Amino acid sequence: MMQSKRWLLPEGVQETVPPESWRLEAARRALLDLYWRWGFDLIRPPLIEYLESLLTGAGHELDLQTFKLTDQLNGRMMGVRSDMTTQATRIDAHRLAATGPARYCYIGSVLRTRPEEPGGSRSPLQVGVEKFGDGHLASDLEIVSLMLETLAVMGISRSYLDLGHVAIYRRLVVACGIDAELEPTVFDVVQRKSRPDLDRLAADQRIDATTHARFSALIELNGPADVLAEARSALGGIDSTIDAALDELAAMVALVQDHYPEMPLYLDLAELRGYRYKTGLLFAAFAPGLGRELARGGRYDDVGRAFGRPRPATGFSADLNLLAALGEFADQRPATGIAAPGDNTDAALLAEIRRLRAAGERVVTGSPEAADAPGCDRLLEHIDGTWRVRAITTKSDSHG
């Protein structure tokens, strides 16, 4: 009988080992320091929650992505978190019951039933920030800025920012009189930017000529920032909310260009990430040649209504594993150490080991020989009545 491969992990689930796991931990600390400097407070939502809480509001979008299990203590259904945005909303609404603007950040593992892209991860290390209680455009700029600063900390130098606005599509559906039965089909066509399928809907008389023209324009409205002029020409005057959304996009473009003049900007008015619960601006960061987002976010006002506290909200999230894989973030700690004897009776030795560790040195005990302490470049030795650190001399060193 062939022995089972007990060491294999489930598809889409990964682990990290040294030195990459240390690099990832250093990145986590660097990002938390960044968020702290921007005034964001750390929250640590639980790994599992009862389904009625976990899938409330924005969480309904995540139903198919959530692993479910039964609580053996009371028989209630629980879920393993697949995203932390809903959890942050619950914490803001009930645990902290914050009044006025509130800023939160988080980093932790999430688990998904399927990857978001073929061959992708089902166990991302999600990092993100959320801001509640402020509906001004300045808050969206704050989140977009922090998303770009996150990429900078991770050493990702080549990226571009993608902007959109969910209200444009949403109000266009209303203005064109598209009913609830047809809307999912139209949504799918728009997301795929499939002009032939849109033409087919018109040919089958499922949409009229005006609707066909408007959604044809929407599909084509993507490109550099000057695409906004085309958008005003094609969609302006149809609905006041669409006009306001275009104004908001123009204002955000101007702000980003002012704060990050070197950042390439791209607009896509048919991109509808999180459409079912997002309410306003959408933003995402991409890297050239990468077929998925580096990070994504947007405004989701009133999502807290399901928890009894409707509040303006905006935020972004990313997979730290992906950022670490693509970026050039470097662990600043020296990858060296001191090999020390494992004598537990020598008080002077133990005191010196404690002093070295308190000073930030890595000391590996019980390994008097360098070969027994991988990564050590120095030895702690008893010389002339005192414990001293000396460099390890190799044969090549001794022979010059």
Side-chain angles (χ1 to χ4, degrees):
M1 179 182 297
M2 182 179 296
Q3 184 179 8
S4 62
K5 296 181 178 180
R6 296 187 178 94
W7 58 88
L8 293 180
L9 294 173
E11 183 177 351
V13 175
Q14 58 280 327
E15 61 191 358
T16 56
V17 297
E20 181 59 24
S21 51
W22 282 116
R23 176 173 174 263
L24 202 61
E25 174 61 16
R28 186 191 71 85
R29 296 175 186 179
L31 290 179
L32 289 181
D33 286 344
L34 170 69
Y35 304 152
W36 181 84
R37 292 194 296 269
W38 280 60
F40 285 74
D41 291 318
L42 179 64
I43 57 174
R44 298 184 65 188
L47 182 62
I48 58 174
E49 289 196 46
Y50 291 120
L51 280 181
E52 58 264 34
S53 172
L54 196 63
L55 300 183
T56 293
H60 286 301
E61 287 286 293
L62 304 174
D63 188 18
L64 292 178
Q65 284 281 42
T66 300
F67 278 99
K68 303 172 179 68
L69 63 157
T70 302
D71 189 340
Q72 296 299 312
L73 295 179
N74 56 28
R76 294 176 63 184
M77 291 300 297
M78 299 190 298
V80 180
R81 68 186 182 201
S82 58
D83 185 88
M84 289 198 236
T85 299
T86 301
Q87 293 182 302
T89 304
R90 176 185 55 74
I91 289 172
D92 177 74
H94 288 288
R95 184 67 184 272
L96 297 176
T99 59
R103 297 170 173 86
Y104 309 113
C105 62
Y106 51 80
I107 297 182
S109 296
V110 298
L111 185 64
R112 294 168 182 166
T113 58
R114 61 193 70 186
E116 292 190 337
E117 69 286 328
S121 173
R122 293 195 296 164
S123 57
L125 183 56
Q126 189 178 43
V127 53
V129 302
E130 313 288 342
K131 184 176 181 182
F132 294 88
D134 189 343
H136 296 97
L137 190 64
S139 286
D140 295 292
L141 176 64
E142 182 178 8
I143 297 299
V144 169
S145 299
L146 200 46
M147 180 175 75
L148 298 180
E149 295 294 337
T150 295
L151 301 185
V153 166
M154 293 305 300
I156 297 175
S157 57
R158 296 182 65 238
S159 63
Y160 65 89
L161 180 64
D162 184 275
L163 295 174
H165 203 298
V166 71
I168 296 173
Y169 169 83
R170 183 169 286 149
R171 294 305 301 176
L172 204 56
V173 167
V174 174
C176 293
I178 296 175
D179 60 33
E181 182 179 352
L182 181 60
E183 190 275 331
T185 301
V186 175
F187 178 84
D188 177 64
V189 169
V190 171
Q191 281 295 273
R192 292 186 292 107
K193 294 181 173 63
S194 176
R195 183 63 181 270
D197 285 336
L198 187 66
D199 294 343
R200 192 171 297 110
L201 288 177
D204 293 342
Q205 298 184 341
R206 301 185 68 186
I207 59 174
D208 59 29
T210 299
T211 299
H212 178 264
R214 290 172 174 175
F215 280 98
S216 293
L218 183 66
I219 288 174
E220 299 298 328
L221 288 172
N222 54 81
D226 55 14
V227 78
L228 277 173
E230 299 176 34
R232 292 188 191 280
S233 175
L235 303 177
I238 296 174
D239 182 278
S240 61
T241 301
I242 294 177
D243 294 337
L246 293 173
D247 290 341
E248 196 168 40
L249 271 173
M252 178 57 76
V253 167
L255 287 168
V256 171
Q257 289 176 334
D258 183 50
H259 286 74
Y260 297 91
E262 302 302 319
M263 174 59 60
L265 272 174
Y266 186 86
L267 271 65
D268 188 346
L269 304 194
E271 178 55 61
L272 299 169
R273 295 174 297 270
Y275 161 71
R276 301 301 174 188
Y277 70 94
K278 294 287 178 64
T279 60
L281 282 168
L282 303 173
F283 36 85
F286 289 85
L290 183 68
R292 57 169 295 190
E293 306 104 333
L294 294 171
R296 65 186 178 197
R299 178 158 289 278
Y300 56 104
D301 291 346
D302 294 338
V303 72
R305 185 179 302 277
F307 294 106
R309 294 191 73 218
R311 301 235 292 163
T314 181
F316 87 88
S317 65
D319 179 3
L320 183 53
N321 289 321
L322 176 65
L323 300 186
L326 297 176
E328 297 179 357
F329 177 85
D331 185 355
Q332 299 300 315
R333 297 169 310 160
T336 58
I338 300 169
D343 187 348
N344 294 319
T345 62
D346 189 323
L349 171 61
L350 296 177
E352 181 62 11
I353 290 173
R354 283 194 295 270
R355 186 191 70 78
L356 288 168
R357 285 173 173 165
E361 293 283 5
R362 184 182 192 186
V363 182
V364 183
T365 61
S367 304
E369 300 297 331
D372 296 329
C376 290
D377 62 341
R378 289 159 292 164
L379 290 173
L380 183 58
E381 290 185 327
H382 196 259
I383 303 174
D384 298 331
T386 186
W387 288 100
R388 299 179 184 178
V389 176
R390 72 166 179 83
I392 294 174
T393 301
T394 64
K395 291 181 179 180
S396 59
D397 293 333
S398 60
H399 286 84

